[in-house]
Amino acid sequence: MSPQQQAPRGTTERPGGERLGTEELRADCASCFGLCCVALPFARSADFAEDKPAGRPCADLRADFRCGIHARLRDSGYPGCTVFDCFGAGQKVSRVTFGGTDWRRAPGTARSMFEVFPVMRQLHELMWYVTEALDLASAQPVHRELRRALARVDGLTRGDAASVVRIDVNALRAEVNTLLLRASELVRAEVPGRRRNHRGADLIGAKLSGAGLRGASLRGALLVAADLSGADLRVADLIGADLRDADLSGADLTGALFLTQAQLNAARGDAATVLPPALARPAHW
């Protein structure tokens, strides 16, 4: 059920010289036990055609743990599935935490596996953002701290199931976010002129067509159904921004910070939308 994936952007050293490749942070559904289709709940809405509680397999999950309607999720009433990205947490839980033993063959592991998955997903998302920040040359003053944070989070993902579920993810996210914010500020400080601050703003349905948002902070902003057609979003910080049904037609997202494929998949755009090279143009555009 993963969306189109972002292209890998490089590698980062682990302690001892081993390299952390960003391919580890991209969903590999063939190496996962369909965890997003089982562990997570969803409610009947515009995003999902029916209710499903956490821990119950989706009715469309096949015996090989693949989605039976993957090619037609939107047409089948499941657009919410197309905008989910586990950042590689699915295969980490399936192949590393539980050593390749799936919840069907070993039902006694199911509850623990399903508890670990959402925690692991958040840890992998953090590693994705930190890895991106380490690719930003202007953020070099904070790179050393970012590498330490990446090593720490990476180490936590390799613990056993019990240790993973005990992680205080909120506290960890707060610590890492401080570094990501500093990286963002260093990069955006190079943008000339006044930079808008819409951090956490309620911009649902806002009319922002052609808006000059270069270098703006849109961290956590609610941009659901906002009209951003033709907007200048170059080097804008979009971490956590809700872009569901936002119109990005003709918008320029060159160098946009912390923009994910899942955010793009949730939005609308066209052939004129300028994307960062690491991101793919969603098929439904």
Side-chain angles (χ1 to χ4, degrees):
M1 296 201 306
S2 65
Q4 293 167 291
Q5 298 302 314
Q6 293 163 252
R9 291 165 295 188
T11 58
T12 302
E13 279 195 13
R14 290 193 179 103
E18 183 186 356
R19 306 294 284 182
L20 169 64
T22 47
E23 66 275 4
E24 295 182 42
L25 304 177
R26 295 185 296 141
D28 177 8
C29 297
S31 298
C32 177
F33 300 141
L35 297 183
C36 62
C37 307
V38 187
L40 305 179
F42 52 72
R44 185 171 183 176
S45 62
D47 292 321
F48 300 101
E50 63 180 4
D51 295 323
K52 188 193 81 64
R56 189 182 80 188
C58 174
D60 295 303
L61 183 65
R62 302 187 319 205
D64 63 355
F65 300 111
R66 305 304 291 272
C67 175
I69 59 170
H70 187 268
R72 58 181 193 280
L73 280 166
R74 287 183 176 274
D75 294 338
S76 300
Y78 290 90
C81 296
T82 69
V83 300
F84 177 79
D85 190 349
C86 76
F87 296 95
Q91 66 259 28
K92 173 70 72 60
V93 174
S94 300
R95 303 298 171 180
V96 178
T97 313
F98 287 87
T101 301
D102 69 71
W103 50 270
R104 282 177 172 152
R105 287 186 298 156
T109 67
R111 180 175 180 179
S112 179
M113 192 177 297
F114 301 157
E115 290 176 344
V116 168
F117 175 66
V119 177
M120 189 71 76
R121 192 261 175 201
Q122 293 191 67
L123 298 178
H124 270 237
E125 181 182 21
L126 281 177
M127 290 199 294
W128 181 272
Y129 290 139
V130 173
T131 300
E132 177 173 338
L134 285 167
D135 281 342
L136 301 172
S138 299
Q140 197 279 332
V142 75
H143 279 184
R144 184 175 182 179
E145 292 173 85
L146 285 166
R147 283 192 291 269
R148 289 173 177 167
L150 182 60
R152 179 187 174 196
V153 179
D154 182 39
L156 290 172
T157 70
R158 298 175 187 282
D160 60 22
S163 67
V164 172
V165 296
R166 287 198 301 266
I167 296 170
D168 186 341
V169 177
N170 289 334
L172 184 62
R173 289 184 75 97
E175 292 176 26
V176 175
N177 187 59
T178 298
L179 300 177
L180 296 175
L181 179 58
R182 287 172 59 191
S184 170
E185 290 172 340
L186 286 166
V187 175
R188 292 185 296 110
E190 298 182 350
V191 175
R194 178 174 172 269
R195 296 178 298 279
R196 298 190 188 183
N197 184 5
H198 295 300
R199 183 176 182 179
D202 184 349
L203 297 171
I204 296 175
K207 306 301 182 183
L208 296 167
S209 179
L213 295 168
R214 184 181 180 189
S217 175
L218 291 162
R219 297 171 65 89
L222 299 178
L223 290 160
V224 179
D227 181 3
L228 288 161
S229 58
D232 184 356
L233 290 160
R234 289 176 293 169
V235 201
D237 186 342
L238 289 162
I239 193 169
D242 191 339
L243 293 171
R244 285 177 296 166
D245 205 34
D247 185 359
L248 295 173
S249 301
D252 190 347
L253 291 154
T254 302
L257 302 175
F258 307 121
L259 177 66
T260 68
Q261 189 67 52
Q263 286 172 299
L264 285 182
N265 290 352
R268 295 179 289 118
D270 61 12
T273 306
V274 182
L275 301 178
L279 299 172
R281 195 173 306 278
H284 67 280
W285 285 12

